[in-house]
């Protein structure tokens, strides 16, 4: 059968799609368009309300416009909201994130007009399953699934479960195979990369050190680290970042709010002081480190004073990348029992924070003008030229380059979200 994959959401979800594609039996193969397919596999995301609505719309669109194709629904929606899925897709097969190794059996069921719903938690080790035989410049490297947190606003844990760390040996084997097959960037990914090993006794810093010393020329982007998971091993992790040029000097550390009160109500399990300590230690040891953070605007208990504390935090720590989300109730999340704040207030706060975001990000980038950087070219630019990332994971564009190459560049102009550069010898 000809199989078309359509994937939404995070890099972890994309890696799940890659695993399913790799697991297809000799009887099946992937195609690049839905029109050419016999089977459509929709790998869903459910992290936010607009995404949920998009998933429902997409399911209905495929059902209405491609009734002759077998639709199989996978991803977080299957675990988080099977009740709603039963309403919109009761006659389609489903596979939860922990059952993707059953992809061939479910395809067979769908072809034979049998409706199966495979979901529920397992301890499946996904590391080592995402080894591609074809060249891929960027390889997503799953190191663990689930987390050991309990954030009140989050439904992802319902989908992904409690922490299951994969063996370092399996992760390293997959990483080296990816580099041998042409990968130049390894994206280390998990719901919380810093919690790796807290269930298995293996060390996150040891994993990173092994990944940073493989054969080949490549870079490692370390995915989101929860401050509560990082702070107990901070010095060890910083040392690995500092000692290995293969690791992008970039950390993604979501804070979510600058209010100590709201932070506690979110059950984030760290303090604002902890967060400042982590940021300051990274900058002390690696002055050029790029910082990314996430902010939720309008948590149900957030007052104007709480919001102002978030503004003050962002101005103070001046992150290089700021992801802003408006709070929305999610199925199964503890905070969904609270009353949402006024929509007009939510919109106003989001607008004000976005103004600060633009100001801070542009100012950070302007400090790079005239500096030399090493960069990995990853793709053609959407508006011309070639795009990639500096060693501090700054998005950059040059006029001409070879995709997959490492080049020395000089920054000639700063924009809010990227740097304009020229190649130097």
């Amino acid at each position: 059968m000809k199989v078309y994959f359509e994937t939404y959401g995070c890099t972890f979800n994309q890696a799940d799609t890659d695993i399913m594609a790799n697991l297809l039996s000799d009887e099946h193969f992937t195609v690049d368009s839905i029109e050419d397919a016999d089977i459509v596999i929709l790998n869903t995301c459910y992290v936010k309300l607009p995404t949920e609505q998009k998933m429902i719309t997409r399911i209905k669109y495929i059902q209405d416009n491609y009734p002759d194709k077998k639709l199989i629904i996978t991803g977080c929606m299957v675990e988080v909201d099977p009740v709603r899925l039963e309403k919109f897709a009761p006659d389609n097969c489903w596979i939860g994130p922990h059952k993707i190794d059953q992809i061939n059996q479910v395809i067979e069921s769908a072809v034979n007009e049998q409706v199966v719903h495979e979901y529920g938690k397992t301890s499946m080790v996904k590391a080592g399953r995402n080894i591609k035989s074809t060249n891929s410049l960027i390889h997503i490297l799953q190191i663990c699934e689930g987390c050991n947190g309990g954030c009140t606003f989050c439904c992802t844990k319902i989908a992904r479960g409690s922490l299951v760390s994969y063996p370092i040996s399996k992760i390293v084997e997959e990483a080296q195979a990816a580099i041998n097959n042409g990968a130049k960037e390894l994206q280390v990914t998990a719901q919380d990369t810093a919690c790796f090993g807290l269930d298995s006794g293996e060390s996150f810093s040891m994993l990173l050190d092994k990944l940073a010393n493989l054969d080949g020329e490549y870079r490692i982007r370390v995915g989101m680290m929860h401050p509560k998971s990082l702070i107990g091993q901070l010095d060890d992790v910083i040392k690995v970042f500092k000692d290995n040029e293969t690791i992008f000097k970039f950390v993604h550390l979501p804070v979510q709010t600058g209010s100590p009160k709201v932070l506690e109500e979110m059950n984030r399990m760290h303090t604002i002081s902890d967060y400042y300590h982590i940021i300051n230690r990274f900058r002390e040891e690696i002055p050029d480190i790029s910082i990314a953070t996430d902010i939720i605007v309008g948590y149900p208990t957030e007052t104007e004073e709480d919001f102002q504390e978030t503004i003050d935090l962002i101005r103070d720590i001046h992150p290089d990348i700021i992801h802003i989300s408006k709070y929305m109730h999610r199925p199964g999340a503890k905070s969904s029992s609270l009353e949402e704040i006024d929509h007009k207030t939510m919109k106003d706060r989001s607008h004000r924070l976005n103004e600060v975001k633009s100001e801070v990000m542009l100012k950070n980038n302007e400090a790079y003008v005239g500096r030399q950087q090493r960069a990995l070219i990853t793709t053609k630019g959407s508006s011309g030229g070639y795009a990639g990332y500096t060693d501090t994971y700054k998005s950059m564009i040059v006029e001409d380059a070879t995709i997959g190459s490492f080049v020395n560049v000089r920054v000639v102009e700063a924009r809010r979200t990227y740097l304009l550069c020229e190649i130097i010898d």
Side-chain angles (χ1 to χ4, degrees):
M1 307 297 288
K2 293 176 287 186
V3 182
Y4 172 71
F5 286 93
E6 189 168 297
T7 307
Y8 295 87
C10 63
T11 55
F12 206 93
N13 233 28
Q14 181 59 61
D16 278 353
T17 290
D18 292 341
I19 290 171
M20 286 188 284
N22 290 338
L23 290 175
L24 291 180
S25 72
D26 293 339
E27 301 171 6
H28 314 304
F29 60 94
T30 60
V31 293
D32 294 329
S33 77
I34 193 169
E35 286 78 11
D36 294 335
D38 304 305
I39 305 283
V40 178
I41 297 179
L42 183 68
N43 196 354
T44 61
C45 176
Y46 222 59
V47 68
K48 299 177 183 178
L49 180 59
T51 313
E52 171 188 336
Q53 294 166 338
K54 185 175 184 177
M55 296 300 94
I56 296 297
T57 300
R58 192 59 181 163
I59 288 169
K60 293 170 67 176
Y61 177 85
I62 295 171
Q63 290 170 334
D64 293 344
N65 291 273
Y66 301 98
D68 58 321
K69 303 181 189 300
K70 301 298 182 184
L71 173 62
I72 298 173
I73 300 166
T74 70
C76 289
M77 184 180 183
V78 177
E79 286 286 349
V80 175
D81 207 352
V83 173
R84 192 132 194 254
L85 198 52
E86 187 68 53
K87 177 181 177 181
F88 288 98
D91 299 326
N92 297 112
C93 292
W94 315 340
I95 312 176
H98 298 269
K99 298 292 185 75
I100 59 174
D101 57 338
Q102 298 185 28
I103 181 64
N104 287 299
Q105 298 93 308
V106 174
I107 287 177
E108 184 178 352
S109 295
V111 171
N112 292 325
E113 306 295 336
Q114 298 172 347
V115 177
V116 295
H117 296 162
E118 292 288 351
Y119 60 101
K121 306 298 190 298
T122 71
S123 297
M124 179 176 63
V125 172
K126 295 180 178 178
R129 295 174 181 262
N130 188 14
I131 297 178
K132 304 173 186 177
S133 58
T134 55
N135 289 352
S136 179
L137 188 65
I138 297 173
H139 183 84
I140 302 169
L141 192 65
Q142 295 173 323
I143 65 170
C144 56
E145 186 162 14
C147 72
N148 58 359
C151 302
T152 58
F153 52 81
C154 181
C155 69
T156 303
K157 187 165 184 175
I158 298 172
R160 298 293 179 174
S162 297
L163 177 63
V164 176
S165 297
Y166 305 150
I168 287 179
S169 59
K170 288 287 187 182
I171 299 169
V172 170
E173 176 188 357
E174 179 179 322
Q176 186 64 72
I179 294 168
N180 293 344
N181 287 335
K184 296 296 184 180
E185 179 181 337
L186 301 177
Q187 295 187 351
V188 173
T189 190
Q191 284 71 61
D192 168 16
T193 60
C195 73
F196 171 84
L198 296 181
D199 60 327
S200 65
E202 292 194 303
S203 162
F204 180 49
S205 58
M206 181 181 292
L207 168 64
L208 291 182
D209 193 58
K210 287 184 179 295
L211 291 175
N213 289 281
L214 301 175
D215 295 331
E217 188 176 20
Y218 61 98
R219 293 293 181 269
I220 297 170
R221 191 199 74 179
V222 178
M224 189 276 284
M225 296 183 285
H226 195 306
K228 74 168 182 60
S229 302
L230 178 60
I231 195 161
Q233 53 183 328
L234 182 59
D235 288 345
D236 290 339
V237 173
I238 289 176
K239 186 177 188 306
V240 175
F241 270 77
K242 185 177 180 178
D243 291 349
N244 292 285
E245 66 176 15
T246 47
I247 300 179
F248 281 119
K249 302 307 181 276
F250 163 84
V251 289
H252 181 189
L253 298 164
V255 67
Q256 305 301 1
T257 176
S259 163
K261 174 181 74 71
V262 176
L263 194 70
E264 184 175 354
E265 290 162 344
M266 288 177 167
N267 195 36
R268 289 285 288 169
M269 302 183 191
H270 69 88
T271 66
I272 296 296
S273 295
D274 291 336
Y275 193 79
Y276 271 106
H277 175 68
I278 292 170
I279 297 294
N280 291 338
R281 286 289 296 124
F282 265 107
R283 285 177 168 161
E284 286 169 5
E285 296 296 326
I286 311 171
D288 287 343
I289 195 84
S290 291
I291 307 290
T293 196
D294 299 355
I295 297 291
I296 294 175
V297 173
Y299 187 79
T301 62
E302 181 186 81
T303 65
E304 178 60 29
E305 291 73 22
D306 295 324
F307 176 70
Q308 190 58 53
E309 288 182 302
T310 298
I311 293 283
D312 293 342
L313 175 73
I314 292 301
R315 289 193 182 280
D316 198 17
I317 65 172
H318 51 90
D320 298 85
I321 299 173
I322 307 165
H323 304 291
I324 299 173
S325 298
K326 296 177 185 175
Y327 173 84
M328 295 178 184
H329 287 335
R330 301 307 303 129
K334 293 180 180 178
S335 60
S336 294
S337 63
L338 303 173
E339 183 178 350
E340 290 185 348
I341 69 172
D342 177 70
H343 177 72
K344 184 178 180 181
T345 301
M346 177 97 70
K347 185 177 180 180
D348 174 67
R349 290 178 186 171
S350 179
H351 175 72
R352 288 155 58 196
L353 185 57
N354 269 291
E355 287 186 334
V356 175
K357 167 185 173 176
S358 295
E359 172 192 326
V360 167
M361 290 177 62
L362 178 59
K363 187 175 181 180
N364 283 349
N365 281 354
E366 285 175 340
Y368 275 75
V369 174
R371 293 172 56 182
Q372 295 183 15
Q373 297 278 291
R374 182 76 169 165
L376 168 62
I377 305 301
T378 57
T379 186
K380 285 188 175 181
S382 58
S383 301
Y386 289 81
Y389 294 93
T390 71
D391 277 348
T392 54
Y393 210 67
K394 287 284 186 178
S395 181
M396 51 75 65
I397 293 177
V398 292
E399 184 174 330
D400 190 30
T402 301
I403 293 174
S405 66
F406 290 88
V407 294
N408 295 316
V409 300
R410 180 184 293 110
V411 181
V412 297
E413 187 177 341
R415 303 289 173 84
R416 182 176 66 88
T417 58
Y418 63 94
L419 305 172
L420 290 173
C421 301
E422 61 181 8
I423 294 179
I424 57 177
D425 293 332

